[in-house]
Amino acid sequence: MLDAILNFEILRNTFYTGLIVGLLAPLLGTFIVVRRLSLIADGLSHVTLAGISFGLFMQKKYTLLALTPFHTGIIFSIIGAIVIENLRGVYKAFQEIAIPITLSIGVGLSVVFIAMADGINTDIYAYLFGSVAAVSRSDLYLVLFTAVFVIVVITFLYKELFALSFDEEFATVSGIRAKIIHYLFIIMTALVIAASIRIVGVLLVSALMTLPVATAMRIAKSFKQTIVYSIIFGEVAVIIGLITGYYLEIPPGGTIVITSAILLGLTLLIKKWYLAYIYKG
Amino acid sequence: MANLITVNGVTHRYDKHKVLEDVSFTIEKGSFVGLVGPNGSGKTTIIKLILGLEKLQKGSIEAFGKPIEKFHNKGHVSFVSQKANSFSRGFPATAKEVVSMGLTSKVSLLRPTTKKYEYLIFEALDRVNMMEYANHNIGDLSGGQQQRIFIARAIVNNPSLLILDEPTVGVDTENVEQFYQLLSQLNEELGITLILVSHDIGTITTHVTDLLCLNKSVHYHGNPSDFEHMTDEQRSKIYGHDMHTITHDH
Ligand SMILES: Nc1ncnc2c1ncn2[C@@H]1O[C@H](COP(=O)(O)OP(=O)(O)OP(=O)(O)O)[C@@H](O)[C@H]1O
Ligand SMILES: [Mg+2]
């Protein structure tokens, strides 16, 4: 594939995008998992699918060229993020209900738009399961912009995000502007999900945000370590998954997630052996 | 400014249910106030109002000479919650990382020397006698140890006022005494004004400088030794219907 990456721009774009989301998804995923909101990624990815289907429909009926399905996906994802955050405020006592609400609305809208755009086609297939050949140069620039935005925000607001994830009440009392930061965070999540969908597809985005984190949490001692290990596991899965997906002609969503799952299984096993060894010695 | 907190005529309802009625009191600088009352008497509610976690409905509260609506906490007030132990146990953070959360308001956008923060964190850990647990996972500590870590987090920023909502829940009786000593130290050596919420009247009266009995409204506010010398009958009148002096038989 390395040859091919050098020679074909579109593969190169995919590979770079993969490396970027391999970092961003587990990075945000760590905060999401520790807040016990793992399913938020699923809710948002299905809202993004609605946006993508809407874009496909518009493209087909009105040849609306300025906005690609990727763009409409991002827009829907951000709107969905704001709706989820508001719903979490309304249902304070059981915030997770925000997720099935947005998820089902997302799927409902997708079904309608897909039907209006004359049914399932190869484009939709690529959006559902990911593709090694879907990233245009302008898409790559958008993903790069997202990466810069997310990394800058996390660097400057790391303490605030960490404190809010651990104990919202204490964070609020110490003067952190919880509301603004929550909105900022969920909008970043929406952007990263939209970017990740190009690589792993709608159905498997949440796996890329949670599996590496689940693996990291088994071996990390601190929160910072959890983030670093999550990113390492995420990148390894993306690189192995993209290359095998390319050679086996399987959508990379499948190969990346299977690789993640194997990494998780291996980590659990090795930790078990290690602990057994410690108790014996 | 001798009064850090002035509460004046505060009435509070959840829906139609009146929880606080015409509550007024002041918290003097340097004092160690025990806030006592039976379950559901509104202790946590008045604390939340003071901390700005609950919206003021009627009456007024002043913090550091400013109306509470305009008061922006820049590390003056710190807090150990009644629910401190209800964070998710599996949270991957070390004790040191938890304490560092107390410094959020100090850490500005352009982060200067982390060395200085490290020093403050270790100083706070040392105060609560938890230095050796700095790198332990917070979920692996015992309830009492976690409580100490949360106190370290609350004092690391050197607050003027520290509010603790029933921190002795989960601390065994032997450690309770040690725990009060720690609080007295904070009060006397560091000059931190303390509000300690408890329904354990028996232990609290021997340590605090002011006793505040709340049961929907303020039933007693003053010297704890005067309260100690009252008869049980007088006390239960003040405290409300279901008051028990918790005696420790050990
Ligand atoms: N968020 C809320 N919504 C509705 N009612 C509430 C809420 N919080 C507290 N209450 C009610 O207000 C009353 C006072 O509660 P509060 O938590 O202030 O009592 P407390 O003195 O702290 O009790 P405890 O000793 O059990 O901690 C209780 O009857 C409680 O049921
Ligand atoms: Mg309470």
Side-chain angles (χ1 to χ4, degrees):
Chain A
M1 190 189 188
L2 289 177
D3 269 3
I5 286 171
L6 292 178
N7 294 325
F8 296 103
E9 193 198 346
I10 203 137
L11 284 180
R12 200 158 58 221
N13 292 341
T14 306
F15 197 73
Y16 292 151
T17 304
L19 289 182
I20 293 172
V21 300
L23 185 151
L24 296 184
L27 171 63
L28 294 185
T30 308
F31 292 97
I32 292 175
V33 169
V34 298
R35 283 171 64 198
R36 313 206 153 207
L37 290 172
S38 303
L39 289 171
I40 237 173
D42 271 315
L44 280 178
S45 66
H46 286 83
V47 173
T48 314
L49 178 65
I52 289 165
S53 333
F54 176 72
L56 287 170
F57 161 69
M58 293 301 271
Q59 231 174 17
K60 190 142 192 177
K61 299 286 162 173
Y62 303 102
T63 49
L64 184 95
L65 283 176
L67 281 183
T68 66
F70 185 44
H71 297 142
T72 47
I74 293 175
I75 294 167
F76 271 57
S77 188
I78 289 175
I79 294 171
I82 294 169
V83 170
I84 287 186
E85 197 53 42
N86 277 320
L87 283 175
R88 287 205 318 122
V90 174
Y91 294 100
K92 270 210 170 66
F94 36 119
Q95 312 189 347
E96 66 280 2
I97 203 170
I99 295 160
I101 292 176
T102 39
L103 191 142
S104 44
I105 294 175
V107 173
L109 285 174
S110 306
V111 171
V112 171
F113 289 133
I114 290 172
M116 280 162 69
D118 300 331
I120 303 267
N121 56 25
T122 47
D123 286 344
I124 280 286
Y125 188 76
Y127 282 112
L128 285 178
F129 302 111
S131 159
V132 287
V135 185
S136 70
R137 181 175 288 202
S138 71
D139 289 354
L140 177 61
Y141 288 149
L142 256 178
V143 172
L144 262 177
F145 167 80
T146 302
V148 172
F149 175 65
V150 168
I151 288 168
V152 166
V153 171
I154 300 249
T155 312
F156 282 119
L157 295 179
Y158 172 78
K159 292 234 163 201
E160 283 78 358
L161 284 165
F162 176 48
L164 269 177
S165 312
F166 185 78
D167 179 345
E168 180 143 4
E169 209 168 53
F170 182 84
T172 312
V173 169
S174 33
I176 291 176
R177 310 268 295 262
K179 216 167 179 175
I180 286 188
I181 293 181
H182 278 320
Y183 274 107
L184 205 55
F185 181 80
I186 198 151
I187 287 172
M188 291 196 297
T189 308
L191 287 170
V192 169
I193 284 172
S196 309
I197 280 176
R198 301 304 275 161
I199 307 296
V200 289
V202 168
L203 298 176
L204 295 168
V205 158
S206 69
L208 189 59
M209 294 193 113
T210 51
L211 279 181
V213 182
T215 313
M217 276 168 68
R218 297 308 301 169
I219 52 172
K221 295 220 159 52
S222 67
F223 191 71
K224 277 200 176 130
Q225 269 185 12
T226 310
I227 293 183
V228 172
Y229 293 161
S230 302
I231 292 174
I232 293 172
F233 287 126
E235 291 290 13
V236 170
V238 165
I239 293 169
I240 295 178
L242 273 179
I243 293 174
T244 50
Y246 173 76
Y247 281 115
L248 302 176
E249 293 180 23
I250 296 171
T255 48
I256 289 172
V257 171
I258 299 293
T259 314
S260 274
I262 291 172
L263 287 173
L264 173 63
L266 281 178
T267 308
L268 293 179
L269 267 182
I270 290 170
K271 180 155 184 196
K272 206 172 151 193
W273 288 334
Y274 175 73
L275 286 179
Y277 173 79
I278 297 257
Y279 288 138
K280 251 204 208 146
Chain B
M1 185 184 57
N3 289 333
L4 295 190
I5 302 287
T6 308
V7 175
N8 205 343
V10 167
T11 296
H12 197 82
R13 288 167 214 268
Y14 291 112
D15 298 320
K16 288 215 172 73
H17 181 54
K18 199 183 272 179
V19 190
L20 294 174
E21 187 163 22
D22 196 21
V23 170
S24 304
F25 60 86
T26 56
I27 304 291
E28 232 175 278
K29 193 172 175 188
S31 56
F32 181 172
V33 181
L35 174 57
V36 294
N39 288 130
S41 55
K43 303 182 298 290
T44 299
T45 305
I46 188 70
I47 294 304
K48 283 191 170 167
L49 286 164
I50 292 173
L51 292 168
L53 288 170
E54 192 73 50
K55 213 171 162 208
L56 199 58
Q57 295 167 350
K58 190 161 174 256
S60 69
I61 298 179
E62 270 184 24
F64 294 81
K66 266 194 185 162
I68 202 77
E69 300 86 351
K70 296 212 178 90
F71 173 74
H72 187 72
N73 190 11
K74 291 205 184 72
H76 301 78
V77 183
S78 199
F79 162 61
V80 179
S81 147
Q82 183 167 13
K83 300 179 305 191
N85 285 327
S86 76
F87 71 95
S88 57
R89 263 193 102 82
F91 198 103
T94 59
K96 206 175 117 191
E97 281 182 312
V98 172
V99 177
S100 79
M101 289 177 208
L103 287 169
T104 338
S105 60
K106 241 203 185 95
V107 184
S108 62
L109 280 188
L110 298 168
R111 318 241 128 118
T113 60
T114 32
K115 272 256 160 57
K116 195 178 151 215
Y117 296 128
E118 287 261 309
Y119 175 77
L120 290 174
I121 291 167
F122 280 119
E123 200 180 39
L125 281 169
D126 191 33
R127 252 209 192 268
V128 298
N129 249 322
M130 288 294 288
M131 196 73 135
E132 55 189 304
Y133 295 95
N135 291 315
H136 283 231
N137 189 294
I138 183 76
D140 293 343
L141 300 178
S142 75
Q145 290 172 326
Q146 284 171 1
Q147 203 57 273
R148 281 168 181 270
I149 295 298
F150 291 124
I151 290 170
R153 173 177 71 166
I155 60 171
V156 67
N157 207 6
N158 194 20
S160 311
L161 172 65
L162 173 59
I163 301 176
L164 305 106
D165 196 352
E166 310 219 24
T168 46
V169 174
V171 179
D172 51 50
T173 35
E174 279 148 60
N175 285 321
V176 165
E177 191 49 40
Q178 225 185 352
F179 179 79
Y180 276 105
Q181 267 167 21
L182 168 65
L183 293 185
S184 295
Q185 251 178 41
L186 297 179
N187 181 238
E188 284 155 22
E189 291 171 22
L190 302 182
I192 301 177
T193 307
L194 295 176
I195 303 178
L196 175 63
V197 177
S198 174
H199 47 248
D200 181 355
I201 282 205
T203 322
I204 204 171
T205 44
T206 57
H207 294 88
V208 299
T209 62
D210 284 71
L211 194 66
L212 183 64
C213 299
L214 184 74
N215 197 354
K216 207 173 191 185
S217 51
V218 177
H219 288 251
Y220 179 87
H221 187 187
N223 200 313
S225 60
D226 291 350
F227 189 81
E228 285 242 284
H229 291 122
M230 287 180 202
T231 63
D232 268 357
E233 200 186 336
Q234 282 174 304
R235 278 201 247 174
S236 55
K237 229 184 196 163
I238 286 170
Y239 195 88
H241 46 95
D242 51 356
M243 111 104 179
H244 305 282
T245 304
I246 299 172
T247 44
H248 297 291
D249 37 13
H250 61 100

